[in-house]
Each structure stands twice: as structure tokens, then as C-alpha cells.
Amino acid sequence: MNRRQTLAGLSPAQLNSRASFGPSRITKEGKNSKKITALISRQSLATKPAGNPQPTSRLSPLSGVQRRSSTYGKKTTGPKQDPRPVSDKGYQHDCIRQLIEYLSTHGYEHPVSPKTLTSPMSKDVFSIVQFLLKQVDPHMKPLGKMEEDVPQLFKHLKYPFQISKSALFAVGSPHTWPGLLAAMNWVVEILNYAEKAEEARTDVFDDKQRSEHDFFEYVAKSYKYFLAGDDYQSQAVDDEIAQEAEDRAEQVRQRNQQLQQANEELQARLEALRSQPSALLQAQAKQEEHVRDRDKFRTLIDNLQSHKQSLQRKLQERKAEVESKQEQLASTLLESDAMRAVIAGQTVNKDDVVRMNQEKCKQAEILAGVCGQREALERRVYEQDVQLELSLDELETTVQAYNTAADRLQLIPVTAKYAGGLQYEIQLDRAGVSASDIITVDLKGEVKPALARLRDSRAARARELSEEVLAVQERLDGGLEALTERTEDNAALGTQVANSLTGSFHVLTVSLT
């Protein structure tokens, strides 16, 4: 693929239908309407500059050439048909996702979600449109009436499809919202393209790419003035590019001189270092000496550490022996004192000792039986607690399902549509002792009778609506029959009128001949 093409040999049709050779001038700060409009529809370089008379020295053969449309055939009238599938749900979801992604990454201050953009309110759409237009032109004044300003602004941005004022009076309706969503997504795509073009423009080029870029800039400017017939500006561009080349060559020469000086300084420093004694050999000798000293110190430290550990072990053993002897002495003294006290106060005989032993055995048997009963009761209490927790879990699940159904039926809270001031919501207190403490409302006395009354009223209303539907269906059938009869009458009248016109035309033709 050729990177460059010749600038000659273009027909007038190619001259008027090709894309502009001028690069897109987009800056990150300048997201305004003029630059975005330049992205949307650029003018050809063959367009006559405003306020500057055009010489005819080189463009006289093209002075009468008009702009041609890129399409052939008869020009269509009426609004353009949008080729995008704006009514497709998948396309709408993609547009919503791109719009939310752009708003969330560019500092949109209001909350937005796919649910709100499925059928939005007018104020939400107005806020989003104003934010997007602010991204296009940061200096734009606040919008007045949305129904009047928005169509004009989109027309100014060269949006290819018409946005009617009537569509902005009901932006959330299924007939108007897809078109408005596609228009906002179109602005988002233009803004994203502007940012990516700016990033691509600010990338660092190598020498070859920079040279090609500068040559392309020069060709674009020169060819524009060539098409306009402005020899003065064309020569000015040539002088400018020559001056830039000369300045760049001068910078290269200065840089080359600086590098040569730096090279000479480094050569002199290298010679000086070569003439001095080798610092590496001296450092290696010192390192070997230090390594030997380090090994000696490490050996000495290891010996001292082992001797220290041996002394510490002996000290611990001696301390443990002393503490053991002291404990044995204290225990012996206590036992001696206890025996002396027992002997001094002993008043029981042999029979008393036998009786006390028997009583002790009996109490031990009673204690064992009581402990067994206690363990059985504790197991039973544990089982009851487990069963209670399971029952409370099932009850809680049932209560949650009930509250969910009541909320869906608009029975809770108390101010709900069908609540009638009655508390239908059930709150479960797991710490309650009795049934009335666990469930806070009277199910049998209040909630159940109220639900029965509500069920009866809904059933009666359903029967009434069924009767109304049947009546409306009967009227619809009657209207369809009447419409069919009128259609047949209109067809008969049309046939009569056609026959009458044919006869009149025949009579008129005969009279003229």
C-alpha cells in the first residue's frame, strides 16, 4: 500500500468528494463545538476562503465546478431514515452501556444506572444532554427550554437525523426514547473519537515517522493554498518549511559539537585513569585481608558462644536443684505440722471410722446418680434448643416470604395503597418467650380477617372487569362490522367515480379531435 499519492490528476468529482488532507486539530482542552464539528463534517480544501478574493491564475478551469453529492439519482425529500437499529433492544442496551461508561469516567455528578435509562424522566435526559454538550463546549451557556435548544444544538453539530420538538415533550416513551438515546450515543462516540485522536496526535514519533508527519503537514498546507490559488501563502509555507529545516539542521550541528566535546572529555578522563595504578588490584588485596580477619573473628565468636552456652546450662541446673530442695523442705515441714495437729486433736475411735467410710460410699453412689440425671437433662435441653432454632429458622423464612408477597401486593407499610391503615408486616423476635412475644401482630384477630376481606373485594373487582371487557369486546366487534361495511361502500363509490372520470375523459377527447 502506497503511503503517498501524487497531488495531480484529480478529476473535479474526486476533488469535491474526497476527504480533506488537513490533519485533525484536536486538543484535550478544546472539546468545543467548532472542533467537534470539524470532526463531524470537514470542508474540502477546495472551498473558497471567506473574505479573501480568489485569483484565477491556476483555478480558472475549476472556477465553475460545483460541489457534487456522493450519491446519484433523484434527490430525496423529507427526513432521512436512520439506518441504525434504534428499536432493537440489544442495540439500546449497548448504547446505554456506552453512555453510562462515558458518564462515570468523565465526572458526571448525578447517579445513573441501566434501570433509569430504560425509561428515563425528562429532567434526567436534560441533565445528561447538557453534560455532553458541556463536554463539547466547556464555555457553553446553560440551556433554556430543552424542547427548543436541543434540536438546534444537534443541528449545529451536524447530526444527520432530525430531532423534533414533539419528541422532547415525552422523552421516556417507547416511540421517542430510542432515537434520543441513539443521538446521545452519537455525541459520546464523537467525544471518544476526539480523545483518542488527541492521544494519537500526542504520541512520540521516531525520526522517520516525524519526517513523514512533517512532510504530510507541508503537503496539506501547500495543496490547500494551491487549490485556493493563493501564491503568496504557498510561497510563505515553502519559506516556513525551509526555515524549520535550517533551524533543525543548526540544532543538529550544535548537538553534534556538544557530543564531540563530551567525547573528548571522556577520552581524557579514560587516559588519566589508565595511567594511574590499578585501584582494582589494591581493593582486591584489601578484600582478601579483610576476609581472613573476618574468618578469625567468626571462629573466636563461635568458641565464646559455645562456652557461654555451657556455663548457662550449668547455672540453670544448679538453680533447678536449689528450688527442688527448697520445695521438698517446705512440703516436709507442712506434713510434719499437719500430723502433729491431727494427733493432738484426734477423738474418734475405730467404729466411727468404719461408719464414716460407709456413709462416704453411700453419698458417692447418690452423687453418681444425680450426675447421671443431670447429664440426661442437659442432653434433653440441648436437643430442645436445636429443635427450637430449626423451628425459628423455618418461621423466619415463612415470615420473609409473607412480607415479600405483602410488599408486592402493596399491603406494607401501613401507608401502602391497599393497607387501609392496618399493620400487615410481621416482625419476628427470636428472643421472645411466648408466641405473642415472638410475633408482634395479631394474626388470627386482625391480619387473617383483613386478608379475607381484601381477597373478596379483589375477586368482586375481577368479575366486574371481566364483564366490562366482554362489553367492550362486543362494541369493538360492532365497530369492526360497521367499518367493513363502510369500506365496501367506499370501494363501490371509488369504482363509480373512476368509471365516470373515464367516460368524461373519453367525451373530452372526442370533442377535442
Side-chain angles (χ1 to χ4, degrees), residues 137-165:
D137 184 5
H139 305 290
M140 185 190 71
K141 296 181 180 179
L143 298 177
K145 292 184 178 181
M146 178 180 177
E147 297 80 7
E148 297 180 358
D149 295 343
V150 170
Q152 294 297 326
L153 289 172
F154 272 91
K155 185 177 180 181
H156 177 69
L157 292 177
K158 300 298 192 304
Y159 183 59
F161 308 107
Q162 182 179 2
I163 298 178
S164 62
K165 295 182 179 179

Side-chain angles (χ1 to χ4, degrees), residues 433-478:
V433 178
S434 62
S436 60
D437 295 336
I438 295 175
I439 298 177
T440 58
V441 297
D442 187 4
L443 295 177
K444 294 183 179 180
E446 295 181 0
V447 177
K448 189 174 181 180
L451 290 174
R453 291 193 299 270
L454 182 61
R455 180 191 61 191
D456 296 338
S457 63
R458 295 296 91 192
R461 179 58 180 167
R463 288 191 297 271
E464 292 177 359
L465 292 176
S466 298
E467 294 175 358
E468 291 179 1
V469 168
L470 291 175
V472 171
Q473 185 64 37
E474 291 177 358
R475 291 198 297 271
L476 178 62
D477 294 340

Side-chain angles (χ1 to χ4, degrees), residues 105-146:
T105 55
H106 288 76
Y108 185 64
E109 58 185 5
H110 300 290
V112 64
S113 65
K115 184 177 180 181
T116 58
L117 291 181
T118 302
S119 180
M121 304 292 291
S122 297
K123 61 179 182 179
D124 297 332
V125 176
F126 179 76
S127 178
I128 294 174
V129 169
Q130 188 161 354
F131 176 80
L132 294 177
L133 294 177
K134 277 285 186 181
Q135 297 296 310
V136 174
D137 184 5
H139 305 290
M140 185 190 71
K141 296 181 180 179
L143 298 177
K145 292 184 178 181
M146 178 180 177

